[in-house]
Amino acid sequence: MSNSVEPVPALIVDALAQVPLDEGAYSLRVEEDDLKFMRAQTGITDEAELKHILQVQAEAYRVFPYPCIRRFVFVRSTLPRIPGYDRLLKLGRERQDAILLDIGCCFGNDVRHAAADGFPARQIVTSDLHAEYWELGHKLFYTTNETFPAKFIPGDVFDPTHITVVPPLYSPTTDPAPDLSTLTSLNPLHGRVSAIHASAFFHLFDETKQLHIARALAGLLSAEPESMIIGLHAIAMEKGVKVEHFGEGEAASDITVFYHCPESWVELWDGQVFEKGSVKVETSLTERDLAGRMIPFLHWCVIRL
């Protein structure tokens, strides 16, 4: 991503930035399971001290006023709740030099959970447009690059110097494995990544850009069987463009949003991005409460055969 393709229109960004954050939403939106993970990772047991989350939220909102920051979604670990997570962890345990990539990682909650569950932290790569979020992740979890050594690479998913779109491989590469600690872009990972996580990401973009991202990620994925791309995002029951009421209070506005449906999402990967029959796409529906509305979300996992 870059500022020219930021997914939230500039006028709404300006309005959102002027609306004060609601600290009262902390007790309503932060779930106990996520606080339990935070306690385990930080060693904090004092509930008042744990509310340093509010300070990090305020700093993150100044970087860019994403609604997920307002609603404390950044505290939630999504990846462990997606069917297929156990198989992702198995890749980390059993595949030599397995690499996990989290695209649009924000604070890195999901990969921290994967590392806590056994995926080697030094084999984890993360990327986001806003490098400040990764630093705020360290502040949130009381870590450093040394104590949590996943490799962060800032970059624009539409910038070819960061990710060049190349066709997916259909046989494993024989090139030497790159040194993850020296990476400055994702391009050396073409055909190398065992598992890619992309949640709350695709739905930020229109249909053309979603296809571009899918092809970019497919080019990074290893050709070895069981390699996967896994995620969650908002969908509609019929593919198409909808007008959505976006924002709260003075920041409220209507924007046009493109949604895939479950069937079109499967067709995107199995036939457009990858050769038909070369992947299996598993999906399951769930719902999330967003500003009082129940919105359909899709858990999905694209698995190489």
Side-chain angles (χ1 to χ4, degrees), residues 13-278:
V13 169
D14 292 341
L16 280 171
Q18 301 305 313
V19 178
L21 294 170
D22 178 12
E23 291 190 3
Y26 173 87
S27 60
L28 296 175
R29 295 188 177 276
V30 180
E31 298 181 7
E32 179 57 31
D33 283 350
D34 295 313
L35 288 179
K36 182 178 179 181
F37 178 69
M38 187 77 66
R39 293 186 198 104
Q41 292 293 296
T42 62
I44 295 173
T45 56
D46 186 305
E47 291 304 313
E49 187 180 351
L50 196 59
K51 285 192 175 181
H52 79 292
I53 292 170
L54 296 172
Q55 180 184 349
V56 174
Q57 180 202 35
E59 292 184 49
Y61 203 67
R62 287 193 291 271
V63 173
F64 195 86
Y66 285 115
C68 63
I69 301 296
R70 287 189 63 83
R71 297 170 180 156
F72 293 97
V73 177
F74 68 91
V75 180
R76 175 183 295 174
S77 292
T78 298
L79 179 57
R81 295 176 166 96
I82 303 176
Y85 178 63
D86 288 347
R87 283 174 287 173
L88 181 151
L89 295 178
K90 184 179 179 182
L91 289 172
R93 290 192 306 268
E94 298 182 0
R95 182 178 294 183
Q96 184 176 3
D97 298 325
I99 297 171
L100 167 61
L101 169 64
D102 191 3
I103 194 82
C105 64
C106 196
F107 295 170
N109 298 46
D110 289 298
V111 292
R112 289 173 182 274
H113 216 124
D117 288 339
F119 204 104
R122 293 187 184 278
Q123 292 301 117
I124 294 174
V125 179
T126 62
S127 187
D128 199 284
L129 173 62
H130 301 289
E132 299 94 330
Y133 286 159
W134 187 250
E135 293 305 316
L136 286 170
H138 282 309
K139 186 171 184 176
L140 183 65
F141 286 95
Y142 293 172
T143 56
T144 65
N145 289 327
E146 288 70 38
T147 59
F148 184 67
K151 176 64 177 179
F152 175 75
I153 307 170
D156 175 347
V157 74
F158 300 109
D159 180 356
T161 65
H162 185 54
I163 314 178
T164 300
V165 175
V166 301
L169 296 181
Y170 290 93
S171 59
T173 180
T174 58
D175 294 337
D179 180 351
L180 301 186
S181 68
T182 66
L183 293 180
T184 57
S185 81
L186 298 180
N187 283 326
L189 298 179
H190 282 133
R192 287 283 179 189
V193 183
S194 302
I196 301 173
H197 174 238
S199 280
F201 187 60
F202 276 91
H203 62 210
L204 297 174
F205 304 100
D206 64 25
E207 183 175 11
T208 300
K209 290 187 174 70
Q210 289 192 36
L211 177 58
H212 178 103
I213 295 168
R215 285 177 168 156
L217 298 184
L220 297 174
L221 194 65
S222 168
E224 294 183 68
E226 301 302 318
S227 300
M228 65 172 63
I229 308 176
I230 188 171
L232 169 143
H233 58 252
I235 63 158
M237 301 318 294
E238 292 185 8
K239 173 185 174 182
V241 175
K242 298 175 68 174
V243 176
E244 295 283 13
H245 191 68
F246 183 93
E248 303 169 6
E250 298 176 6
S253 183
D254 290 333
I255 62 171
T256 300
V257 182
F258 169 78
Y259 293 108
H260 272 287
C261 66
E263 294 78 13
S264 67
W265 189 246
V266 172
E267 292 168 358
L268 172 77
W269 292 101
D270 186 17
Q272 293 187 56
V273 173
F274 291 100
E275 292 178 1
K276 184 73 174 175
S278 65

